[in-house]
Amino acid sequence: MNPEDIKRSWQMLNRKIDELDERTIGMAQNLAISKSQSLQQRLGKRYRAQALWGFLLPVLAPLMVWIDLPLWVGIAYGLAGVVLGVINLRFSSFISNIDYNDMPIVDAMSHAVKVLRRQMWVKRVGYLLGMLIVAPLMYEIWRLGEPDLFVSACTGGVIGGVIGLYKQRVNSRIARQLVKTLENDIKQ
């Protein structure tokens, strides 16, 4: 082989390496966007499911009156469920109605940070409504004078609270993963 052939082969090899680097970077960016969209869709679905559970609470409200609780407790229970359902549904659409593929990465990151902030707001409103409903509900159940019913309500409240806290932690983790994924995209 003469030096010119070696030089041409070397230059051709460098071009192919550059092309492979560009393809790899493009594929990594597409993979990162795909991961962020997957996290976004997953988080939106979780909040839609929570909205459905909130909308089911009015169905349980007549049971409150059936066990001789005051009518206002059943109405408040059902209304709290509807309010929580609407809040979760609106938050779900806020999460899902943005397509990260169609926007610059900085704008996508900004939206993801807004998701984190609103998630904290949704959590606080949920806690507040929960306390406003659970405290009077437990008081009224206590006033009925049936210890078995009160123990059952307390057990259900503890189990529901643990499940709710677990779901909230998972949702927070998904939202933080979304932000981290987009941060990594910006750094690259």
Side-chain angles (χ1 to χ4, degrees), residues 146-185:
E146 296 184 33
D148 293 341
L149 184 62
F150 184 73
V151 169
S152 296
C154 288
T155 304
V158 168
I159 291 171
V162 168
I163 291 170
L165 286 173
Y166 173 75
K167 287 179 173 256
Q168 183 269 319
R169 286 181 56 100
V170 170
N171 290 347
S172 294
R173 187 175 346 116
I174 293 170
R176 285 191 310 272
Q177 285 176 341
L178 177 63
V179 171
K180 283 183 182 181
T181 301
L182 292 169
E183 278 178 356
N184 290 339
D185 290 351

Side-chain angles (χ1 to χ4, degrees), residues 72-166:
W72 71 267
V73 172
I75 292 171
Y77 188 77
L79 284 176
V82 169
V83 169
L84 287 172
V86 168
I87 289 171
N88 283 317
L89 195 60
R90 288 195 54 163
F91 185 56
S92 171
S93 54
F94 173 75
I95 294 168
S96 302
N97 285 343
I98 299 291
D99 185 9
Y100 289 160
N101 275 339
D102 293 341
M103 56 191 334
I105 194 73
V106 175
D107 292 341
M109 177 69 183
S110 172
H111 182 266
V113 170
K114 287 178 186 175
V115 166
L116 271 177
R117 286 187 187 138
R118 287 192 185 183
Q119 187 179 47
M120 292 298 292
W121 180 84
V122 167
K123 179 175 73 170
R124 288 179 183 142
V125 168
Y127 287 162
L128 178 64
L129 273 175
M131 294 300 240
L132 289 175
I133 292 305
V134 169
L137 177 64
M138 294 308 242
Y139 174 74
E140 291 294 335
I141 290 174
W142 175 260
R143 282 188 40 191
L144 287 176
E146 296 184 33
D148 293 341
L149 184 62
F150 184 73
V151 169
S152 296
C154 288
T155 304
V158 168
I159 291 171
V162 168
I163 291 170
L165 286 173
Y166 173 75

Side-chain angles (χ1 to χ4, degrees), residues 32-42 99-101:
I33 288 172
S34 172
K35 183 178 180 184
S36 64
Q37 281 184 321
S38 171
L39 290 168
Q40 177 190 21
Q41 290 169 358
R42 195 166 131 206
D99 185 9
Y100 289 160
N101 275 339

